[in-house]
Amino acid sequence: MKVANQEISAVNLVKEALEKAHKYQKDYNIFTWINDEALARAAEIDQKIAAGETVGKLAGVPYALKDNFLSKDGETTASAHILEGFSSPVTATVVEKLEAAGAIMIGRTNLDAFAHGSSTENSYYGSTKNSKDLTRVAGGSSGGSAVAVALDIVQFATGTDTGGSIRLPASINGVYGLKPTYGTISRYGVIAMASSTDCIGFFTQQASDLNLLMRITAGQDRKDLTTLPDFYHEKPAEFDDPVKKIGVIRDFDNDAVDPEIRSALREKIEELKNTGHEIIELDMPVLKYALAAYYVIVPAEIASNLSRHDGVRYGFRSEKSSTLPELYKNTRNEGFMPENKRRIMIGNFVLSSGFYDAYYLKAAKARTLIIDEYNKAFEKCDFLLTPVGPSPAFKLGSKTNDPVAMYLEDAMTVPLNLAGLPGLAIPAGKTKTGLDIGLQLVGPRRSDRRIINFAAQLAGEASNTINDSLDINGESEEE
């Protein structure tokens, strides 16, 4: 209760976070904007505490905000030139909830422009560097958020996950990264990539910290009709068996996966066996179609969502145009990154007359098969354990000219997004050269809380929250 007892001030916590943010920014390129005004917000919290007023469960906790969340603080650019200079008139629901609980945003984090990418190399503001090796990628698209947590600048950061954009950077930076069940947290006020697979989630240093964040942000939102009725706060099963059946997918353990990742998976399997859990090997051949289906469905939605950026309503406007058609053409040509354009073109192609049935409709059917495959798997086991990606952090620039190789990084993450399932990236050791390795726990829909609790159990964590780990107010949520 050090903040509540005025032993430590919120100002000091935020000041320390800002100092770290400025210190690491030059080398790692984590932020698109650092919020030095956060100190004023921290001072307000300290004043409330001094006056005996009630403060939220995240009072004084500094956090980093992925730069595709709308907020009135700073510009929301999604790391894209076409949104440079855009100040949002609204605030995302998740930001409102976090800040109502007392969290303080100390900066906006870098990402692949519009979240299109797996390495944060597609940002208009340059690449974010890996937390363990400045010559390697941070993962994407939420690379800035992952590195901010990995370098202990902040205790948690927000992210979005459309096909692995939280789990991939979490995995290769050695932190926890949660993609909740689709619809658990409101997407209102978050710049859309693909509306049917976008999920809001978090990066943390401890699995148990995710529980508090989910308690604060989960729930139905009338501004987002895809949000589910609140299930996260439901009381867990009274006699939930501590011994779990863990499914291991044979199809994901092959020569395309780095040997050190396969070794980390085998070590975790042995650890689970030794602690009494049952391992069930599964064949899920339908998942091989997930990547192809994803890169038909998602670009189609991207093409639709990005059509609003035309240089007329807001954001960047080309000055090289004399007619309206030229304005549209030049603004979009100058404002979008190459990967944005690639996905728009693919999306418009698969939705065009004569190709819709051949591509989009087949992809939608494959998506249904993938959902059915997972449902069958969870009839046999409680959770699945898989690699997050096929390789540790790769060298900067090594795949930028090979989009297919880059897309293959998503092979083991995109199936969850197509099926709407929760997934949690957990640290699983390091390579011989010191790079982080992660694995992912996958559960059936609405099993988010069980996954978090199981991951905390595996890590030997008590049921602490962010408040406890910072010793801010000593309050724990009752289970």
Side-chain angles (χ1 to χ4, degrees), residues 138-442:
S141 64
S142 310
S145 287
V147 175
V149 173
L151 293 177
D152 197 31
I153 297 171
V154 289
Q155 197 77 1
F156 78 94
T158 67
T160 58
D161 193 311
T162 305
S165 288
I166 290 175
R167 289 161 289 150
L168 281 167
S171 170
I172 64 175
N173 286 286
V175 297
Y176 289 90
L178 176 68
K179 171 223 169 299
T181 297
Y182 178 80
T184 304
I185 299 175
S186 174
R187 293 183 295 112
Y188 175 78
V190 180
I191 295 172
M193 178 178 164
S195 303
S196 74
T197 62
D198 286 350
C199 290
I200 310 306
F202 302 100
F203 298 89
T204 61
Q205 298 170 356
Q206 298 185 93
S208 51
D209 288 345
L210 291 164
N211 183 45
L212 176 61
L213 295 172
M214 290 293 287
R215 284 179 173 276
I216 290 170
T217 58
Q220 203 158 24
D221 181 8
R222 63 182 180 81
K223 297 176 182 177
D224 176 4
L225 298 182
T226 65
T227 47
L228 297 169
D230 183 19
F231 66 87
Y232 194 84
H233 293 82
E234 294 174 359
K235 198 170 183 178
E238 191 172 353
F239 299 106
D240 192 20
D241 192 343
V243 176
K244 304 298 182 186
K245 295 179 179 179
I246 310 296
V248 177
I249 304 172
R250 290 192 187 98
D251 311 76
F252 284 172
D253 187 10
N254 55 58
D255 291 339
V257 181
D258 185 272
E260 291 188 274
I261 292 178
R262 297 176 71 183
S263 177
L265 177 61
R266 286 191 292 270
E267 288 178 12
K268 184 61 69 174
I269 289 170
E270 288 303 312
E271 178 187 328
L272 290 166
K273 286 180 179 178
N274 292 337
T275 51
H277 302 291
E278 183 180 351
I279 302 299
I280 299 174
E281 294 191 352
L282 300 170
D283 291 310
M284 299 179 70
V286 171
L287 297 188
K288 67 184 177 183
Y289 301 116
L291 197 65
Y294 177 88
Y295 277 103
V296 170
I297 292 170
V298 167
E301 296 185 27
I302 286 171
S304 175
N305 282 327
L306 291 187
S307 64
R308 70 194 67 174
H309 300 286
D310 54 15
V312 174
R313 285 166 282 197
Y314 53 84
F316 168 75
R317 174 182 294 186
S318 173
E319 298 179 355
K320 301 177 182 178
S321 311
S322 57
T323 66
L324 189 59
E326 286 181 356
L327 174 65
Y328 293 155
K329 176 182 176 181
N330 293 337
T331 295
R332 290 169 68 81
N333 183 47
E334 296 169 33
F336 287 134
M337 300 292 288
E339 184 61 29
N340 304 143
K341 297 174 187 177
R342 183 180 293 115
R343 297 190 186 202
I344 290 170
M345 291 175 69
I346 293 171
N348 285 327
F349 175 78
V350 301
L351 291 176
S352 61
S353 177
F355 297 101
Y356 177 88
D357 290 347
Y359 295 101
Y360 188 83
L361 191 58
K362 286 183 179 178
K365 291 178 179 179
R367 184 179 196 170
T368 301
L369 293 176
I370 291 164
I371 293 170
D372 291 342
E373 190 90 328
Y374 276 116
N375 289 339
K376 292 175 185 176
F378 288 120
E379 291 174 1
K380 303 173 185 176
C381 59
D382 298 299
F383 304 127
L384 302 175
L385 179 68
T386 80
V388 178
S391 63
F394 49 88
K395 290 283 187 178
L396 287 159
S398 63
K399 298 186 180 183
T400 51
N401 294 321
D402 189 349
V404 174
M406 190 73 78
Y407 294 166
L408 288 171
E409 292 293 313
D410 302 336
M412 289 173 274
T413 54
V414 299
L416 275 66
N417 295 80
L418 292 174
L421 303 175
L424 173 59
I426 61 174
K430 296 183 184 294
T431 67
K432 293 176 181 177
T433 59
L435 299 175
D436 289 306
I437 294 175
L439 300 173
Q440 66 177 340
L441 285 169
V442 183

Side-chain angles (χ1 to χ4, degrees), residues 79-140:
S79 293
H81 181 33
I82 204 164
L83 279 177
E84 192 174 17
F86 173 63
S87 296
S88 174
V90 302
T91 300
T93 296
V94 69
V95 175
E96 289 181 342
K97 288 184 175 182
L98 291 171
E99 297 192 353
I104 302 173
M105 190 263 281
I106 62 112
R108 292 178 167 277
T109 57
N110 197 21
L111 64 145
D112 290 293
F114 287 106
H116 301 175
S118 305
S119 64
T120 314
E121 291 177 284
N122 298 321
S123 169
Y124 178 66
Y125 300 105
S127 303
T128 296
K129 312 302 190 302
N130 183 271
S131 60
K132 306 300 186 298
D133 186 339
L134 290 170
T135 69
R136 296 179 183 270
V137 298

